[in-house]
């Protein structure tokens, strides 16, 4: 199933994940619009959003953060940096809600290249819902890296 902004938003609405990893360049409805819809929705507005995208212009970063994204990471990215940023966003989210901090394991050392997510085709992949984290990207390579990072979080 191809990921698009409309179905991605519906998945977030249905699943109410603990975190959304959102690409900007989604067909149908872009990630900026999805972010805006999540942050304007009464039941979803407190879900943290990490934007992970090839759009690295200053205006894109500012727009993403102004629309409510909790963090913004441009490709190429390091899976270790992504893991650390997810941990920080989740920690801040739990602190704001007055909840106990989520205990996440340390990321194990693994032989993988920095910026592994910067290559690959534009082949669509379905959203990967893994233990409360909704991944909305349209890039198979990024989805595979994210699945590995997410497995370390749970």
């Amino acid at each position: 199933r191809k990921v698009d902004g409309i179905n991605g938003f519906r998945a977030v609405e249905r699943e109410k994940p603990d975190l959304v990893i959102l690409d900007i360049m989604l067909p149908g409805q872009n990630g900026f619009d999805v972010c805006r819809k999540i942050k304007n929705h009464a039941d979803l507005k407190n879900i943290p959003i990490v934007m992970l995208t090839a759009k690295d212009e200053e205006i894109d970063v500012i727009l993403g953060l102004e629309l409510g994204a909790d963090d913004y990471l441009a490709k190429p990215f390091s899976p270790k940096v992504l893991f650390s940023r997810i941990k920080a966003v989740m920690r801040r989210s739990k602190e704001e809600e007055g909840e106990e901090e989520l205990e996440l394991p340390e990321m194990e050392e693994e032989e993988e290249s920095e910026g592994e997510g910067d290559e690959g085709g534009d082949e669509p992949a379905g959203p990967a819902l893994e233990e409360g984290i909704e991944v909305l990207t349209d890039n198979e390579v990024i989805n595979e890296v994210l699945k590995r990072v997410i497995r370390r979080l749970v």
Side-chain angles (χ1 to χ4, degrees), residues 62-120:
I62 292 168
L63 182 58
L65 295 171
E66 289 292 322
L67 287 172
D70 297 275
D71 205 346
Y72 192 107
L73 188 59
K75 295 188 289 182
F77 66 93
S78 157
K80 292 175 185 174
V81 170
L82 175 61
F83 181 80
S84 293
R85 287 183 178 215
I86 290 171
K87 283 176 61 173
V89 166
M90 295 300 292
R91 181 180 60 246
R92 287 191 305 266
S93 173
K94 297 302 177 188
E95 287 171 359
E96 287 175 8
E97 295 174 9
E99 294 180 18
E100 199 171 303
E101 185 176 333
L102 184 64
E103 290 293 324
L104 299 175
E106 293 300 314
M107 185 165 176
E108 298 172 11
E109 290 294 321
E110 185 176 295
E111 291 184 31
E112 54 187 319
S113 64
E114 295 291 314
E116 183 173 331
D118 65 335
E119 296 178 9

Side-chain angles (χ1 to χ4, degrees), residues 1 17 25 38 46 49 61 68 77 88 95 98 114 129-130 145:
R1 180 173 107 199
M25 299 182 332
I38 291 170
N46 293 324
I49 297 173
V61 176
F77 66 93
E95 287 171 359
E114 295 291 314
L129 182 61
E130 301 270 349
V145 171

Side-chain angles (χ1 to χ4, degrees), residues 130-143:
E130 301 270 349
E131 297 296 325
I133 299 176
E134 185 73 31
V135 179
L136 303 179
T137 70
D138 196 31
N139 184 295
E140 190 173 325
V141 173
I142 290 176
N143 282 342

Side-chain angles (χ1 to χ4, degrees), residues 4 6 13 29 32 37 52-53 55-56 70 74 76 90 92 95 97 101 105 108 121 152-153:
D4 64 62
I6 295 166
E13 199 172 32
Q29 189 170 60
F32 290 133
K37 284 176 73 173
L52 180 66
T53 182
K55 308 261 301 171
D56 63 353
D70 297 275
M90 295 300 292
R92 287 191 305 266
E95 287 171 359
E97 295 174 9
E101 185 176 333
E108 298 172 11
R152 293 177 184 158
L153 288 172

